[in-house]
Amino acid sequence: MRYETVIGLEVHAQLSTDSKIFCGCSTTFGAEPNTQTCPICLGMPGVLPVLNKKAVEYAIRMALAVHCEVNERSIFARKNYFYPDLPKGYQISQYEEPLAQKGWVEVNLEDGTRKYIRINRIHLEEDAGKSVHAEEYVSENESLIDFNRCGVPLIEIVSEPDIRSPEEARLYLTKVRQLVRWLSICDGNMEEGSLRCDANISLRPEGAEKLGVRTELKNMNSFRSVERALAFEVKRQTSILEKSGKVLQETLLWDKANNIALPMRGKEEAHDYRYFPEPDLVPLIVKKEWKDKIQKSLPEMPDERKLRWAKKIGIPEYDASVLTEEKSVADYFEAVVDHVKDAKQASNWVMGEALRILKEEKLDINELKIRPSQLADIIKLVEEGKISRRAGKAVFNKVAHTGATPEKVVEELGLVQLSDSSKLDEIITSVIEKHPVEVQKFLKGRKGLLGFFMGEVMKATNGKANPKVVNEILRKRLKDD
Ligand SMILES: [Zn+2]
């Protein structure tokens, strides 16, 4: 029997507000443990939470970007459970009446088709603290607690079970990360935990309506882990079903080091949540005017931008996808295009040279010293044949690190290309005279020798000869001789 995989993802995104969701404590990552806390986020008796408006605005930005209906009224609830990193004994979240519902995310699958993954809901909640089990600090049976993360604002984005393979799950998650970064509401850093993902997964016989028993996968902190953990679970559930066994509904933790998902140990870790309305917070009311204002403030989203590029500047879809992964890169590319004739050239240079340096040196494009107009100047120098493409790359490197003007760098490095045909003609004459045997062979049909002559001319000019001009002269001369 063939089985169909059914996956739903719950993504938690930490909102990049300066302060926490219900108090004024800082949210900066990496501070000394327990230095960013106050009685409110530690849940002392008698304190009152006050909702951070910016966090709500960020959540609405995401909700609107993924086409959700934003509810005019939503309610905060207490999600009660016991865990050492949760000093209050409950987490403030939204349960029955979330901030937003019923949206969708468009995902481009690798076979080129588009797929819409429905969003069930987006709600606001606060983060819990962090247990530190690092062995350099503590002995085997000890843990330390850092409460800095308590009360950091989160949105939880819950998808419908529309995902059909581990690969689709990775693509969906990639898209969600792209969107939160594009909207500047979350840095999307999975290693630091600003973006986290849990998955529900079940199998059912192909063609069946009814969902199979699902398991929940946790502890996947990279795109690769998500894909691998889900692939592992598809295989495990398949082998159980093939032996007519029963999949147990349980929570599994992904063990990255051993490539295996194991059930959570002990009942105390399987939370038995109890929700009730948060008595210290009034209902959250989002008026239409505010929602409309946020809608108007949204940037042009990556898919819209790709569409506009396809219509107006005509670069290949692959290029457009790469260039819209980050908004800063997309903006940079557009600024280059403003200055050059050939958008494809601009795309080649941004994708090839700029993205390479960003990756190698772990930089943001705004940290590159080469401004879009300077890159455009380099492209023009190459297009006009003043410097070779290779020299252009050297100039790019230098300008990217120093910010000097391209013309000056070309001069400094002595990269001006030799395009003067009378000068080149002289050099070519001497090359031809030096190699009579090769000339004879060429004339008898060994056309591949053209490359040999090109190489000799390049040697004679220290690589500065304009290959296009050399090629033209060589072809002409080798016919005449
Ligand atoms: Zn606080």
Side-chain angles (χ1 to χ4, degrees), residues 432 435-447 449 452-453 478 481:
I432 288 178
H435 298 96
V437 182
E438 283 79 6
V439 172
Q440 282 311 309
K441 283 185 185 163
F442 181 86
L443 293 176
K444 281 182 190 146
R446 288 266 307 272
K447 297 299 176 207
L449 278 168
F452 165 79
F453 291 111
L478 286 168
D481 287 17

Side-chain angles (χ1 to χ4, degrees), residues 20 22-26 36-42 150-151:
K20 294 185 179 179
F22 298 121
C23 64
C25 291
S26 164
Q36 297 175 163
T37 61
C38 72
I40 296 172
C41 51
L42 291 176
C150 270

Side-chain angles (χ1 to χ4, degrees), residues 342-353:
D342 185 351
K344 176 62 182 144
Q345 284 300 329
S347 141
N348 288 350
W349 281 86
V350 174
M351 288 204 305
E353 296 309 299

Side-chain angles (χ1 to χ4, degrees), residues 79-124:
K79 179 179 180 179
N80 294 276
Y81 64 93
F82 175 77
Y83 201 70
D85 65 15
L86 191 71
K88 291 204 289 246
Y90 61 85
Q91 180 187 15
I92 302 179
S93 179
Q94 295 189 304
Y95 186 53
E96 278 171 339
E97 295 178 63
L99 179 72
Q101 285 160 295
K102 293 188 202 134
W104 45 267
V105 166
E106 187 183 327
V107 175
N108 294 314
L109 303 182
E110 261 150 30
D111 65 4
T113 56
R114 292 202 171 88
K115 175 163 179 169
Y116 295 91
I117 313 272
R118 289 170 301 153
I119 303 287
N120 175 287
R121 59 188 274 150
I122 294 180
H123 68 249
L124 271 162

Side-chain angles (χ1 to χ4, degrees), residues 240-265:
I240 293 174
L241 295 173
E242 277 172 350
K243 287 176 206 142
S244 307
K246 274 196 178 132
V247 173
L248 295 176
Q249 185 171 346
E250 58 187 346
T251 301
L252 307 166
L253 292 181
W254 178 242
D255 177 349
K256 178 172 82 175
N258 298 303
N259 272 322
I260 190 169
L262 294 168
M264 275 182 143
R265 280 170 296 124

